[in-house]
Amino acid sequence: MKIIFAGTPEFAVPALAALIDAGHEIVMVLTQPDRPAGRGMQLKASPVKQLALSHNLAIFQPTSLKPIEVQAQIAATQADVMIVAAYGLIIPTSVLQMPKLGCYNIHASLLPRWRGAAPIHRALLAGDTETGVTIMEVVPALDAGAMISKGIVPITDNDTTQSLHDKLATIGAELMVKAMQNLAVNGVLTSTIQDESLVTYAHKLEKAESAIDWHKSAIEISRQVRGFNPFPVATAQFRNETCRIWFAKAIVNNINKNSAGEIVSLEGGINVSCGDGTLQISELQMPGGKRQTAQQFAQGQHLKIGEFFS
């Protein structure tokens, strides 16, 4: 089939690669304009653009899909399908109606739970036991289209946003290839309307959410640390500096009478007393320094039991 692929970050790369491998004709790759990045702030191509370039695909990077001349260029491809994966720009209704067989999206949640900008983060922060990917029809309303298929992924105590991102990107690619195979054969995809009574929204992360409140439970803080890895990373104050906490797990089967934020042990990690339970930190980073294991950090900082994170 003739496909327009609209995507920008790493999450979208496995899907584009899988569609290419499946033999589909990618007639256009829509991706956001190159952005300044790195210390030199030089323009950098998106991960999707980099893959498209390696396959000599036609690339289109408008800043908006609203201008008539932009829409004319998209229409000229005469695509059968448009596939969207974390593209990042609003797609007007007129563009959605261009592909002959529809427009489909890879969304990183089990819809209708977690519509919106940060579904992986919010699933972790909320303590969900599972997440997944939904292949859905794209409609003007935010993530409200009918659902084609789903893939479920359990959330473990060791999962971070990064680890779930990678799992979901792979599963999303597999599900989309299967959906396109069905569409090529049948000319239509069976879908299920979302139950609006079950909708929750994954609001965009705010940087203020990264600060740890040690009066919360160790379980809540562990979710915060893992949910904010790799960005924006949970933070705590240590010796009047902002320390980034990269990984930690909750220890709940203990009785502690220590103050919130107090370092109570260095066995197995840096163990910090919380409002309920203990947080065992295993990876962290001081300003200007490298990420370190808890043991490296404790030795380098000459850490003592009884010191505090705040």
Side-chain angles (χ1 to χ4, degrees):
M1 288 193 298
K2 296 170 67 176
I3 294 175
I4 295 172
F5 186 88
T8 299
E10 286 289 348
F11 180 80
V13 169
L16 178 56
L19 292 164
I20 293 169
D21 291 344
H24 294 288
E25 181 184 359
I26 311 299
V27 295
M28 175 182 283
V29 173
L30 281 169
T31 190
Q32 288 199 42
D34 298 358
R35 307 289 190 200
R39 290 184 178 180
M41 295 302 286
Q42 295 183 340
L43 290 178
K44 184 178 180 181
S46 73
V48 164
K49 181 179 178 179
Q50 293 175 38
L51 178 62
L53 285 170
S54 71
H55 288 274
N56 296 313
L57 301 176
I59 300 167
F60 191 28
Q61 297 177 271
T63 57
S64 170
L65 301 186
K66 294 179 181 179
I68 295 174
E69 61 273 18
V70 169
Q71 295 189 16
Q73 194 164 334
I74 295 171
T77 64
Q78 297 186 319
D80 297 311
V81 178
M82 177 183 284
I83 291 174
V84 183
Y87 176 39
L89 291 183
I90 294 172
I91 303 177
T93 302
S94 54
V95 174
L96 296 178
Q97 294 172 342
M98 289 177 185
K100 302 178 185 67
L101 299 177
C103 184
Y104 302 94
N105 180 47
I106 303 172
H107 184 74
S109 82
L110 297 174
L111 291 170
R113 185 163 178 79
W114 302 128
R115 292 181 184 176
I120 303 175
H121 304 81
R122 295 302 175 193
L124 265 170
L125 290 169
D128 291 1
T129 57
E130 64 181 19
T131 184
V133 172
T134 304
I135 305 299
M136 54 173 284
E137 297 174 1
V138 182
V139 297
L142 178 66
D143 299 331
M147 302 176 294
I148 307 299
S149 60
K150 291 184 179 182
I152 298 173
V153 174
I155 298 177
T156 73
D157 291 340
N158 291 319
D159 272 317
T160 63
T161 288
Q162 184 66 61
S163 68
L164 288 176
H165 167 282
D166 295 347
K167 295 175 190 177
L168 297 178
T170 299
I171 292 173
E174 294 169 354
L175 289 176
M176 185 57 82
V177 168
K178 290 180 182 177
M180 291 304 100
Q181 289 172 341
N182 292 336
L183 186 60
V185 172
N186 302 314
V188 67
L189 290 172
T190 303
S191 62
T192 303
I193 300 298
Q194 294 186 42
D195 185 343
E196 293 292 326
S197 69
L198 300 177
V199 170
T200 59
Y201 285 96
H203 298 289
K204 185 178 179 180
L205 293 179
E206 300 291 339
K207 193 170 183 179
E209 294 180 79
S210 66
I212 292 173
D213 177 357
W214 295 100
H215 292 90
K216 290 184 176 180
S217 72
I219 291 176
E220 288 177 284
I221 298 173
S222 172
R223 292 172 188 161
Q224 180 184 6
V225 170
R226 292 181 293 115
F228 283 33
N229 177 345
F231 182 82
V233 187
T235 60
Q237 296 300 307
F238 179 70
R239 296 177 181 170
N240 296 317
E241 292 190 282
T242 300
C243 179
R244 306 173 89 189
I245 312 293
W246 283 94
F247 194 84
K249 65 179 182 180
I251 301 174
V252 294
N253 295 325
N254 70 318
I255 300 173
N256 84 61
K257 300 178 181 179
N258 301 82
S259 301
E262 184 178 354
I263 298 172
V264 296
S265 167
L266 297 177
E267 293 184 15
I270 299 170
N271 299 288
V272 183
S273 178
C274 304
D276 180 22
T278 301
L279 188 77
Q280 186 173 82
I281 302 170
S282 57
E283 189 175 0
L284 62 173
Q285 180 182 18
M286 289 296 280
K290 297 180 179 180
R291 290 168 63 167
Q292 295 181 307
T293 65
Q295 183 179 12
Q296 291 170 332
F297 185 92
Q299 291 174 346
Q301 297 291 330
H302 304 291
L303 209 58
K304 297 178 181 178
I305 294 173
E307 286 194 88
F308 278 83
F309 284 93
S310 63

PDB file of all heavy atoms in Angstrom, residues 19 56 65-66 73 81 93 99 109 115 127-128 135-136 181 193 196 232 237 241 252 271 273:
ATOM      1  N   LEU A  19       7.239  -1.155   8.710  1.00  0.00           N
ATOM      2  CA  LEU A  19       6.432  -0.956   7.511  1.00  0.00           C
ATOM      3  C   LEU A  19       7.291  -1.036   6.247  1.00  0.00           C
ATOM      4  O   LEU A  19       6.862  -1.574   5.217  1.00  0.00           O
ATOM      5  CB  LEU A  19       5.700   0.387   7.580  1.00  0.00           C
ATOM      6  CG  LEU A  19       4.601   0.471   8.642  1.00  0.00           C
ATOM      7  CD1 LEU A  19       4.222   1.920   8.905  1.00  0.00           C
ATOM      8  CD2 LEU A  19       3.374  -0.336   8.204  1.00  0.00           C
ATOM      9  N   ASN A  56      16.263   6.663   1.639  1.00  0.00           N
ATOM     10  CA  ASN A  56      15.992   7.561   0.503  1.00  0.00           C
ATOM     11  C   ASN A  56      14.500   7.820   0.301  1.00  0.00           C
ATOM     12  O   ASN A  56      14.004   7.852  -0.831  1.00  0.00           O
ATOM     13  CB  ASN A  56      16.594   6.986  -0.787  1.00  0.00           C
ATOM     14  CG  ASN A  56      18.110   6.892  -0.720  1.00  0.00           C
ATOM     15  OD1 ASN A  56      18.781   7.847  -0.319  1.00  0.00           O
ATOM     16  ND2 ASN A  56      18.652   5.739  -1.078  1.00  0.00           N
ATOM     17  N   LEU A  65       0.385  21.916   9.298  1.00  0.00           N
ATOM     18  CA  LEU A  65      -0.319  21.236   8.202  1.00  0.00           C
ATOM     19  C   LEU A  65      -1.545  22.027   7.750  1.00  0.00           C
ATOM     20  O   LEU A  65      -2.326  21.545   6.934  1.00  0.00           O
ATOM     21  CB  LEU A  65      -0.746  19.824   8.634  1.00  0.00           C
ATOM     22  CG  LEU A  65       0.362  18.867   9.065  1.00  0.00           C
ATOM     23  CD1 LEU A  65      -0.205  17.473   9.325  1.00  0.00           C
ATOM     24  CD2 LEU A  65       1.459  18.801   8.025  1.00  0.00           C
ATOM     25  N   LYS A  66      -1.673  23.245   8.244  1.00  0.00           N
ATOM     26  CA  LYS A  66      -2.859  24.047   7.908  1.00  0.00           C
ATOM     27  C   LYS A  66      -2.771  24.780   6.570  1.00  0.00           C
ATOM     28  O   LYS A  66      -3.793  24.943   5.890  1.00  0.00           O
ATOM     29  CB  LYS A  66      -3.140  25.040   9.036  1.00  0.00           C
ATOM     30  CG  LYS A  66      -3.546  24.367  10.349  1.00  0.00           C
ATOM     31  CD  LYS A  66      -3.796  25.393  11.450  1.00  0.00           C
ATOM     32  CE  LYS A  66      -4.173  24.707  12.748  1.00  0.00           C
ATOM     33  NZ  LYS A  66      -4.402  25.688  13.849  1.00  0.00           N
ATOM     34  N   GLN A  73       0.463  19.429  -1.207  1.00  0.00           N
ATOM     35  CA  GLN A  73       1.609  18.545  -1.378  1.00  0.00           C
ATOM     36  C   GLN A  73       1.321  17.161  -0.787  1.00  0.00           C
ATOM     37  O   GLN A  73       1.734  16.138  -1.350  1.00  0.00           O
ATOM     38  CB  GLN A  73       2.846  19.157  -0.722  1.00  0.00           C
ATOM     39  CG  GLN A  73       4.158  18.482  -1.132  1.00  0.00           C
ATOM     40  CD  GLN A  73       5.374  19.324  -0.781  1.00  0.00           C
ATOM     41  OE1 GLN A  73       5.278  20.547  -0.689  1.00  0.00           O
ATOM     42  NE2 GLN A  73       6.512  18.681  -0.587  1.00  0.00           N
ATOM     43  N   VAL A  81      -3.132   5.213   2.839  1.00  0.00           N
ATOM     44  CA  VAL A  81      -3.241   5.277   4.293  1.00  0.00           C
ATOM     45  C   VAL A  81      -2.256   6.303   4.847  1.00  0.00           C
ATOM     46  O   VAL A  81      -1.176   6.508   4.287  1.00  0.00           O
ATOM     47  CB  VAL A  81      -2.913   3.894   4.922  1.00  0.00           C
ATOM     48  CG1 VAL A  81      -2.974   3.951   6.446  1.00  0.00           C
ATOM     49  CG2 VAL A  81      -3.857   2.831   4.418  1.00  0.00           C
ATOM     50  N   THR A  93      -8.664  18.115   9.858  1.00  0.00           N
ATOM     51  CA  THR A  93      -9.641  17.150   9.352  1.00  0.00           C
ATOM     52  C   THR A  93      -9.490  16.944   7.850  1.00  0.00           C
ATOM     53  O   THR A  93      -9.602  15.813   7.347  1.00  0.00           O
ATOM     54  CB  THR A  93     -11.067  17.624   9.671  1.00  0.00           C
ATOM     55  OG1 THR A  93     -11.193  17.790  11.092  1.00  0.00           O
ATOM     56  CG2 THR A  93     -12.100  16.610   9.197  1.00  0.00           C
ATOM     57  N   PRO A  99      -6.252  10.277   2.745  1.00  0.00           N
ATOM     58  CA  PRO A  99      -5.933   8.880   2.401  1.00  0.00           C
ATOM     59  C   PRO A  99      -7.204   8.072   2.110  1.00  0.00           C
ATOM     60  O   PRO A  99      -8.204   8.184   2.832  1.00  0.00           O
ATOM     61  CB  PRO A  99      -5.223   8.364   3.652  1.00  0.00           C
ATOM     62  CG  PRO A  99      -4.727   9.592   4.342  1.00  0.00           C
ATOM     63  CD  PRO A  99      -5.774  10.624   4.093  1.00  0.00           C
ATOM     64  N   SER A 109      -0.962   3.683  25.192  1.00  0.00           N
ATOM     65  CA  SER A 109      -1.743   3.362  26.385  1.00  0.00           C
ATOM     66  C   SER A 109      -2.866   2.418  25.991  1.00  0.00           C
ATOM     67  O   SER A 109      -3.111   2.185  24.806  1.00  0.00           O
ATOM     68  CB  SER A 109      -2.339   4.616  27.032  1.00  0.00           C
ATOM     69  OG  SER A 109      -3.545   5.012  26.393  1.00  0.00           O
ATOM     70  N   ARG A 115      -5.535   9.098  27.615  1.00  0.00           N
ATOM     71  CA  ARG A 115      -5.445   9.913  26.410  1.00  0.00           C
ATOM     72  C   ARG A 115      -4.504  11.085  26.723  1.00  0.00           C
ATOM     73  O   ARG A 115      -4.436  11.536  27.853  1.00  0.00           O
ATOM     74  CB  ARG A 115      -6.815  10.485  26.027  1.00  0.00           C
ATOM     75  CG  ARG A 115      -7.841   9.473  25.559  1.00  0.00           C
ATOM     76  CD  ARG A 115      -9.143  10.194  25.199  1.00  0.00           C
ATOM     77  NE  ARG A 115     -10.209   9.279  24.831  1.00  0.00           N
ATOM     78  CZ  ARG A 115     -11.450   9.664  24.545  1.00  0.00           C
ATOM     79  NH1 ARG A 115     -11.763  10.961  24.577  1.00  0.00           N
ATOM     80  NH2 ARG A 115     -12.370   8.779  24.218  1.00  0.00           N
ATOM     81  N   GLY A 127       0.537   4.099  39.422  1.00  0.00           N
ATOM     82  CA  GLY A 127       0.644   2.761  39.985  1.00  0.00           C
ATOM     83  C   GLY A 127      -0.120   1.710  39.212  1.00  0.00           C
ATOM     84  O   GLY A 127      -0.465   0.651  39.756  1.00  0.00           O
ATOM     85  N   ASP A 128      -0.379   1.971  37.924  1.00  0.00           N
ATOM     86  CA  ASP A 128      -1.061   0.977  37.094  1.00  0.00           C
ATOM     87  C   ASP A 128      -0.234  -0.305  37.056  1.00  0.00           C
ATOM     88  O   ASP A 128       1.003  -0.267  37.039  1.00  0.00           O
ATOM     89  CB  ASP A 128      -1.241   1.493  35.664  1.00  0.00           C
ATOM     90  CG  ASP A 128      -2.247   2.637  35.573  1.00  0.00           C
ATOM     91  OD1 ASP A 128      -2.784   3.041  36.628  1.00  0.00           O
ATOM     92  OD2 ASP A 128      -2.497   3.112  34.453  1.00  0.00           O
ATOM     93  N   ILE A 135      -3.907   0.575  18.671  1.00  0.00           N
ATOM     94  CA  ILE A 135      -3.984   1.039  17.285  1.00  0.00           C
ATOM     95  C   ILE A 135      -5.393   1.591  17.103  1.00  0.00           C
ATOM     96  O   ILE A 135      -6.378   0.904  17.400  1.00  0.00           O
ATOM     97  CB  ILE A 135      -3.733  -0.100  16.277  1.00  0.00           C
ATOM     98  CG1 ILE A 135      -2.386  -0.780  16.564  1.00  0.00           C
ATOM     99  CG2 ILE A 135      -3.791   0.442  14.851  1.00  0.00           C
ATOM    100  CD1 ILE A 135      -1.184   0.129  16.461  1.00  0.00           C
ATOM    101  N   MET A 136      -5.482   2.839  16.675  1.00  0.00           N
ATOM    102  CA  MET A 136      -6.792   3.504  16.646  1.00  0.00           C
ATOM    103  C   MET A 136      -6.938   4.358  15.397  1.00  0.00           C
ATOM    104  O   MET A 136      -5.962   4.728  14.747  1.00  0.00           O
ATOM    105  CB  MET A 136      -6.929   4.405  17.874  1.00  0.00           C
ATOM    106  CG  MET A 136      -5.784   5.400  18.010  1.00  0.00           C
ATOM    107  SD  MET A 136      -5.993   6.621  19.310  1.00  0.00           S
ATOM    108  CE  MET A 136      -7.160   7.708  18.541  1.00  0.00           C
ATOM    109  N   GLN A 181      -1.750  -5.266   7.094  1.00  0.00           N
ATOM    110  CA  GLN A 181      -1.954  -6.510   6.340  1.00  0.00           C
ATOM    111  C   GLN A 181      -3.447  -6.794   6.197  1.00  0.00           C
ATOM    112  O   GLN A 181      -3.924  -7.145   5.109  1.00  0.00           O
ATOM    113  CB  GLN A 181      -1.252  -7.669   7.046  1.00  0.00           C
ATOM    114  CG  GLN A 181       0.267  -7.623   6.966  1.00  0.00           C
ATOM    115  CD  GLN A 181       0.939  -8.680   7.824  1.00  0.00           C
ATOM    116  OE1 GLN A 181       0.330  -9.235   8.740  1.00  0.00           O
ATOM    117  NE2 GLN A 181       2.211  -8.941   7.554  1.00  0.00           N
ATOM    118  N   ILE A 193     -15.707   1.320  19.409  1.00  0.00           N
ATOM    119  CA  ILE A 193     -15.818   2.689  19.927  1.00  0.00           C
ATOM    120  C   ILE A 193     -15.343   2.728  21.380  1.00  0.00           C
ATOM    121  O   ILE A 193     -15.615   1.821  22.159  1.00  0.00           O
ATOM    122  CB  ILE A 193     -17.282   3.184  19.850  1.00  0.00           C
ATOM    123  CG1 ILE A 193     -17.773   3.164  18.397  1.00  0.00           C
ATOM    124  CG2 ILE A 193     -17.404   4.596  20.428  1.00  0.00           C
ATOM    125  CD1 ILE A 193     -17.012   4.080  17.461  1.00  0.00           C
ATOM    126  N   GLU A 196     -16.565   6.398  26.717  1.00  0.00           N
ATOM    127  CA  GLU A 196     -16.223   7.724  27.233  1.00  0.00           C
ATOM    128  C   GLU A 196     -16.259   7.803  28.752  1.00  0.00           C
ATOM    129  O   GLU A 196     -15.582   8.650  29.342  1.00  0.00           O
ATOM    130  CB  GLU A 196     -17.166   8.782  26.635  1.00  0.00           C
ATOM    131  CG  GLU A 196     -17.004   8.994  25.139  1.00  0.00           C
ATOM    132  CD  GLU A 196     -15.676   9.625  24.778  1.00  0.00           C
ATOM    133  OE1 GLU A 196     -15.179  10.459  25.565  1.00  0.00           O
ATOM    134  OE2 GLU A 196     -15.124   9.285  23.711  1.00  0.00           O
ATOM    135  N   PRO A 232      11.802  14.168  33.272  1.00  0.00           N
ATOM    136  CA  PRO A 232      12.858  15.156  33.557  1.00  0.00           C
ATOM    137  C   PRO A 232      13.803  14.760  34.692  1.00  0.00           C
ATOM    138  O   PRO A 232      14.685  15.524  35.045  1.00  0.00           O
ATOM    139  CB  PRO A 232      12.039  16.383  33.946  1.00  0.00           C
ATOM    140  CG  PRO A 232      10.803  15.826  34.568  1.00  0.00           C
ATOM    141  CD  PRO A 232      10.496  14.566  33.833  1.00  0.00           C
ATOM    142  N   GLN A 237      17.109  17.545  47.348  1.00  0.00           N
ATOM    143  CA  GLN A 237      18.191  18.409  47.828  1.00  0.00           C
ATOM    144  C   GLN A 237      19.108  17.612  48.745  1.00  0.00           C
ATOM    145  O   GLN A 237      18.649  16.916  49.662  1.00  0.00           O
ATOM    146  CB  GLN A 237      17.624  19.620  48.567  1.00  0.00           C
ATOM    147  CG  GLN A 237      16.793  20.555  47.694  1.00  0.00           C
ATOM    148  CD  GLN A 237      17.592  21.131  46.540  1.00  0.00           C
ATOM    149  OE1 GLN A 237      18.668  21.703  46.730  1.00  0.00           O
ATOM    150  NE2 GLN A 237      17.076  20.968  45.325  1.00  0.00           N
ATOM    151  N   GLU A 241      22.508  21.094  47.440  1.00  0.00           N
ATOM    152  CA  GLU A 241      22.594  20.977  45.993  1.00  0.00           C
ATOM    153  C   GLU A 241      21.484  20.069  45.485  1.00  0.00           C
ATOM    154  O   GLU A 241      20.979  19.214  46.227  1.00  0.00           O
ATOM    155  CB  GLU A 241      23.957  20.415  45.574  1.00  0.00           C
ATOM    156  CG  GLU A 241      25.115  21.358  45.825  1.00  0.00           C
ATOM    157  CD  GLU A 241      26.394  20.864  45.166  1.00  0.00           C
ATOM    158  OE1 GLU A 241      27.024  19.946  45.726  1.00  0.00           O
ATOM    159  OE2 GLU A 241      26.761  21.395  44.097  1.00  0.00           O
ATOM    160  N   VAL A 252       8.908  -1.825  51.758  1.00  0.00           N
ATOM    161  CA  VAL A 252       7.707  -1.520  52.544  1.00  0.00           C
ATOM    162  C   VAL A 252       7.541  -2.406  53.769  1.00  0.00           C
ATOM    163  O   VAL A 252       6.812  -2.055  54.690  1.00  0.00           O
ATOM    164  CB  VAL A 252       6.433  -1.639  51.662  1.00  0.00           C
ATOM    165  CG1 VAL A 252       6.432  -0.565  50.597  1.00  0.00           C
ATOM    166  CG2 VAL A 252       6.330  -3.014  51.017  1.00  0.00           C
ATOM    167  N   ASN A 271      19.554   3.935  51.650  1.00  0.00           N
ATOM    168  CA  ASN A 271      18.194   3.737  52.158  1.00  0.00           C
ATOM    169  C   ASN A 271      17.726   4.974  52.911  1.00  0.00           C
ATOM    170  O   ASN A 271      18.330   5.364  53.919  1.00  0.00           O
ATOM    171  CB  ASN A 271      18.165   2.512  53.070  1.00  0.00           C
ATOM    172  CG  ASN A 271      18.561   1.244  52.316  1.00  0.00           C
ATOM    173  OD1 ASN A 271      17.813   0.744  51.494  1.00  0.00           O
ATOM    174  ND2 ASN A 271      19.763   0.741  52.592  1.00  0.00           N
ATOM    175  N   SER A 273      14.565   7.141  54.702  1.00  0.00           N
ATOM    176  CA  SER A 273      13.267   7.028  55.360  1.00  0.00           C
ATOM    177  C   SER A 273      12.226   7.925  54.676  1.00  0.00           C
ATOM    178  O   SER A 273      12.515   9.070  54.326  1.00  0.00           O
ATOM    179  CB  SER A 273      13.394   7.436  56.830  1.00  0.00           C
ATOM    180  OG  SER A 273      12.146   7.373  57.473  1.00  0.00           O
TER     181      SER A 273
END
